[in-house]
Amino acid sequence: MDEPSTAERDPDGAPARAPDGAPERDGVGAPEGDPAETRPGVIVTRGLTKRYRGGQLAVDGLDLTVPAGSVFGFLGPNGSGKTTTIRMLMGLIEPTAGTVRVLGRPMPRAARTVLPQVGALIEGPALYGFLSGRDNLLRYDAADPTADPRTRRARVAAALDRVGLAAAAAKKARAYSLGMKQRLGLAAALLQPRRLLVLDEPTNGLDPQGMREIRTLVRELAADGTTVFLSSHLLDEIEQVCTHAAVMAQGRLVVQGPVADLAAGARGLLVVTTPDAADAARVLKELGVADVTADGDRVTGEPPERDLAEVTAALVAEGVRVRGLTVERASLEDAFVALTGEGFDVAG
Ligand SMILES: Nc1ncnc2c1ncn2[C@@H]1O[C@H](COP(=O)(O)OP(=O)(O)OP(=O)(O)O)[C@@H](O)[C@H]1O
C-alpha cells in the first residue's frame, strides 16, 4: 500500500533518454492526451535501465509490452530486477535511462493522472497496527482525493469481502497474519475500479489455500477486464494464472510473450513407458533420438522430428512392449532452462 503521494513528486520534466542519448522512442511527437487504446500496450517500457547509487545495475535496457486485458506474469529469480522495474513503472523511483508508459502516458510525469487508475500492491502493505482492517481501508480511502466519501463504507465492505477478510474486518491489523496483511493490501488496491493492477509477489506469505484464493481473485479481476501485472518467482504460479509472461534474469529480459508460446519454445520430452526399457532405449538411439535416458519403466529423450507412429512401429517391430508413448508438454520451467541454460532458483 504505497502512498500515492510518494509517486507524485515533480519529475525533472526532461524527456527520458535512451543510454545512447537518443530521445525517447515510444510516443515521440504524440500528444500526451492520446487514449491508451491507440498504444500497443497498457505498460510499455523502452530501454528501461536502473543503476543504483552504489553502482548496481538492477535493470538493464528493458523493452516490455503488456497487452491490454492480459494477466501478465513478471518472472525471475530473487534479485533479477522485478521490484526495481515495478517501482519505476509506478513512478516511485526514476529510471537511469529509458522510458515508461503506463495506460498510454509517460511515467513518472503523468503519475497524477495515471495512478488513480492503477491499483498497486508493492513490497507488502503499510498498515496501522492499532487500527482494524476495516479502519485501515477507510483511512486509506479517505487519503485518496479521487475517492467518493459517500460510497466509502460500501466500497470498503465490498473490498474486504472480495479478499475474504469480511469476518476479520474488526480485528486489529497487528493481529493479522502475513497472509491476512497481504490480503488487506490487495483490498486497498481494489477500493476503486482499476484499469490496471500491479501486484508485487501477491502470494508471498500465503499458505497454499490462500495462494489458490488469490489466483482465483486475479482470474476474476481479469475476466472483468482489468489488466493484471504480477511479479513472481514461482514458475508454476505464472503458468496457472497468467496469459502472458516475461522472464527476467540479472536485470535483463530473457523472453516475453503468451505463456503457451513460451512453453512451446522448449521442445518437451518424449516419454516411452515399457517393461523393456533397455531395448526401448537402444531402439530410440538407433532412430536418432537424442538424450535417451532409461529410469525404471520410463525411457525419455528429445522429441524426434519423425512421426511418433513410426517410432512406435519401430519399437514394436523390435519386440518392445509399449505401454505408453507420448510427448510431454514443456513447462515454463523447461523453457526457462532452455533459454538461460540455468535452473530456476525458487528459494525464498
Ligand atoms: N535500493 C537499492 N540500492 C542498491 N541496490 C539495490 C537496491 N534495491 C535493489 N538493489 C539490487 O538490485 C538488484 C535487483 O533487485 P530487485 O529487488 O529489483 O530484484 P527482484 O527481482 O525484485 O528480487 P526479489 O524477488 O528478491 O525481490 C539486486 O541485486 C539488488 O540487490
Side-chain angles (χ1 to χ4, degrees), residues 52 56 58 77-84 201:
Y52 283 110
Q56 173 77 34
N78 297 123
S80 55
K82 304 181 299 292
T83 301
T84 301
E201 302 268 2

Side-chain angles (χ1 to χ4, degrees), residues 103-338:
L103 300 172
R105 308 288 305 276
M107 292 294 281
R109 215 182 317 154
R112 225 174 278 269
T113 36
V114 169
L115 291 183
Q117 303 175 69
V118 181
L121 176 65
I122 302 175
E123 287 172 359
L127 299 172
Y128 295 104
F130 61 93
L131 292 179
S132 69
R134 181 188 293 114
D135 287 343
N136 263 288
L137 291 188
L138 288 169
R139 187 171 178 144
Y140 184 78
D141 196 67
D144 180 351
T146 68
D148 183 353
R150 289 166 301 181
T151 58
R152 182 162 295 143
R153 288 214 152 255
R155 286 184 294 105
V156 164
L160 285 164
D161 193 40
R162 187 133 214 208
V163 301
L165 275 183
K171 215 178 186 180
K172 295 236 186 308
R174 67 166 162 256
Y176 277 13
S177 68
L178 184 57
M180 289 163 86
K181 287 177 182 163
Q182 196 75 351
R183 285 162 196 250
L184 193 61
L186 256 177
L190 297 174
L191 284 169
Q192 304 231 50
R194 310 288 189 185
R195 291 175 62 193
L196 170 65
L197 275 179
V198 175
L199 311 175
D200 192 12
E201 302 268 2
T203 59
N204 237 3
L206 300 184
D207 57 18
Q209 171 66 16
M211 285 179 157
R212 271 195 295 277
E213 285 170 19
I214 297 298
R215 281 184 207 129
T216 305
L217 180 60
V218 165
R219 286 193 199 102
E220 285 171 13
L221 290 164
D224 291 347
T226 309
T227 305
V228 183
F229 180 89
L230 67 94
S231 77
S232 180
H233 62 276
L234 304 174
L235 282 153
D236 62 338
E237 176 160 291
I238 299 276
E239 278 204 294
Q240 286 177 46
V241 81
C242 295
T243 58
H244 294 69
V247 178
M248 294 283 284
Q250 295 170 350
R252 292 189 176 196
L253 184 69
V254 179
V255 70
Q256 68 181 322
V259 168
D261 292 1
L262 296 184
R267 299 202 59 206
L269 194 66
L270 173 71
V271 181
V272 178
T273 316
T274 169
D276 309 315
D279 286 338
R282 175 181 51 80
V283 176
L284 290 178
K285 280 182 198 158
E286 283 167 10
L287 290 171
V289 173
D291 285 340
V292 174
T293 335
D295 183 10
D297 65 352
R298 196 177 134 96
V299 185
T300 60
E302 274 200 13
E305 298 296 333
R306 64 176 79 211
D307 191 337
L308 290 184
E310 269 181 46
V311 178
T312 315
L315 287 164
V316 172
E318 292 288 323
V320 174
R321 293 165 292 170
V322 178
R323 286 200 187 114
L325 185 147
T326 180
V327 173
E328 283 182 359
R329 192 177 68 87
S331 68
L332 205 52
E333 179 156 14
D334 297 328
F336 182 87
V337 172

Side-chain angles (χ1 to χ4, degrees), residues 39-87:
R39 302 271 169 208
V42 168
I43 296 171
V44 180
T45 75
R46 291 293 174 260
L48 187 65
T49 300
K50 180 68 185 181
R51 187 183 287 281
Y52 283 110
R53 224 166 268 153
Q56 173 77 34
L57 187 59
V59 176
D60 186 5
L62 183 61
D63 293 340
L64 205 60
T65 303
V66 177
S70 61
V71 178
F72 195 100
F74 195 42
L75 188 63
N78 297 123
S80 55
K82 304 181 299 292
T83 301
T84 301
T85 302
I86 288 177
R87 293 180 70 79

